[in-house]
Amino acid sequence: MEDKIKKAAELIKDSNYIVAFTGAGISTESGIPDFRSPGGLWERYDPSIYAEISSFLSHPEKYWKMHRELSQMVLNAEPNPAHVALADLEHKYGKLKTVITQNVDFLHSRAGNTNVLEIHGSGQTARCLKCNKEFHYTQIQQMLEEEQYVPRCPHPCYGLIKTNTILFGEQLPWDVLDQAREEILAADLLIIIGSSLLVYPAAALPSLAQQSGTRLIIINMEPTMMDSYANVVLHSKAGKILPKVFEAFESLINDS
Ligand code: NAD
């Protein structure tokens, strides 16, 4: 493991335009479960039913039931050492240019990263599907606390409100996806953290990096389909290993 940490640190030292691609795994150490953790939220709320657009439209109460639990977890969560290491890589060294995330928990922004592309949207805002009025999540929380099981736009519109997260069956925001592709093509190193790389089209972005010859570091608890293409693979908890990689990188900088 020490050799791999050193190799990852060297890759970071030799790169000037680093992009991070993150998934639910980077936030599990902040207390937000990924889709595959045993005993987690998603065992009770199958995402293919509870996080799917047609079931949201026909049974919004199901989505909001799940959302009540998930939003409590997100609101109680704090950025963990992996989020902080990415913020340091941007602010202390200017090496990290962009974070492309599949997460909707806004922990990267809260950690301090400034250029965060949320390709699956964000739970920070919601909007009325009828009049498009936007709501901040604090307003939604208030509606839920007032026992509104399905938040609706205030009278007279009374439209259904939906968080600005992308549900299964919905199109990704193409402008954000285009920016993500541009960043991937500009990158000289892509660090992939906490993603099973099974959810498309998001998972096509690391493949694009690999096809364009970008060097890859993968940090994930379990193997992914991209492991054989990566320069370094670290099967470990992101919150434990990323600070170690960052420390090793700082030692290399201080020694040179
Ligand atoms: P995923 O659940 O498919 O995969 C997560 C991966 O992270 C797994 O391979 C797991 O082994 C790994 N992992 C778990 N904990 C880890 C840790 N501490 N360190 C390193 N690796 C760890 O997640 P995905 O690939 O992001 O795709 C699933 C979808 O889930 C995405 O669309 C995302 O929007 C959504 N999601 C988001 C959140 C969130 O915002 N925090 C939470 C759950 C699901």
Side-chain angles (χ1 to χ4, degrees):
M1 191 58 100
E2 288 309 312
D3 284 354
K4 287 183 176 183
I5 291 174
K6 188 156 179 260
K7 194 169 172 201
E10 277 163 0
L11 285 169
I12 291 174
K13 178 172 170 274
D14 295 343
S15 305
N16 297 312
Y17 203 111
I18 302 176
V19 171
F21 176 87
T22 68
I26 196 171
S27 294
T28 55
E29 288 161 87
S30 294
I32 306 171
D34 63 12
F35 277 166
R36 288 164 181 80
S37 310
L41 178 76
W42 308 109
E43 274 186 6
R44 281 178 292 124
Y45 298 107
D46 179 348
S48 65
I49 296 169
Y50 282 83
E52 205 271 335
I53 186 64
S54 59
S55 55
F56 171 78
L57 294 172
S58 54
H59 291 289
E61 70 286 354
K62 282 192 178 177
Y63 171 83
W64 284 107
K65 185 170 186 277
M66 170 199 75
H67 181 88
R68 272 172 187 264
E69 273 193 58
L70 183 61
S71 64
Q72 275 315 317
M73 287 176 182
V74 170
L75 295 179
N76 291 335
E78 293 294 332
N80 68 51
H83 297 104
V84 173
L86 291 183
D88 284 347
L89 203 52
E90 174 182 339
H91 292 290
K92 281 177 136 178
Y93 297 98
K95 281 187 177 272
L96 184 75
K97 305 298 181 190
T98 305
V99 177
I100 302 170
T101 189
Q102 300 168 84
N103 296 344
V104 296
D105 56 27
F106 43 98
L107 287 176
H108 289 299
S109 313
R110 284 185 54 203
N113 282 119
T114 52
N115 191 22
V116 181
L117 298 177
E118 297 170 307
I119 53 178
H120 289 169
S122 169
Q124 213 162 5
T125 55
R127 75 190 155 79
C128 169
L129 294 185
K130 205 165 170 186
C131 71
N132 228 18
K133 181 176 161 64
E134 196 160 272
F135 299 87
H136 192 250
Y137 76 89
T138 48
Q139 293 171 283
I140 300 296
Q141 282 307 110
Q142 200 179 337
M143 291 180 190
L144 293 174
E145 276 161 28
E146 286 164 1
E147 302 291 306
Q148 286 193 31
Y149 290 103
V150 177
R152 292 212 171 250
C153 198
H155 186 73
C157 170
Y158 209 58
L160 197 55
I161 294 176
K162 180 184 161 294
T163 54
N164 282 330
T165 52
I166 305 298
L167 300 183
F168 288 110
E170 279 191 294
Q171 288 220 328
L172 266 57
W174 286 111
D175 51 340
V176 182
L177 202 56
D178 276 350
Q179 283 178 55
R181 284 197 197 101
E182 277 172 28
E183 289 301 302
I184 290 274
L185 293 174
D188 52 11
L189 175 67
L190 182 70
I191 309 180
I192 301 166
I193 308 161
S195 178
S196 61
L197 302 180
L198 293 174
V199 177
Y200 279 82
L205 292 167
S207 300
L208 178 64
Q210 178 258 320
Q211 283 156 18
S212 62
T214 307
R215 293 167 307 166
L216 303 176
I217 296 174
I218 296 181
I219 298 175
N220 205 60
M221 296 259 280
E222 49 186 27
T224 75
M225 284 191 301
M226 291 287 294
D227 284 8
S228 57
Y229 299 108
N231 300 72
V232 179
V233 178
L234 295 154
H235 288 149
S236 179
K237 286 192 172 183
K240 274 174 73 180
I241 208 78
L242 204 53
K244 286 187 183 167
V245 171
F246 191 76
E247 250 174 58
F249 156 69
E250 286 197 309
S251 306
L252 287 176
I253 296 265
N254 292 336
D255 292 349
S256 60

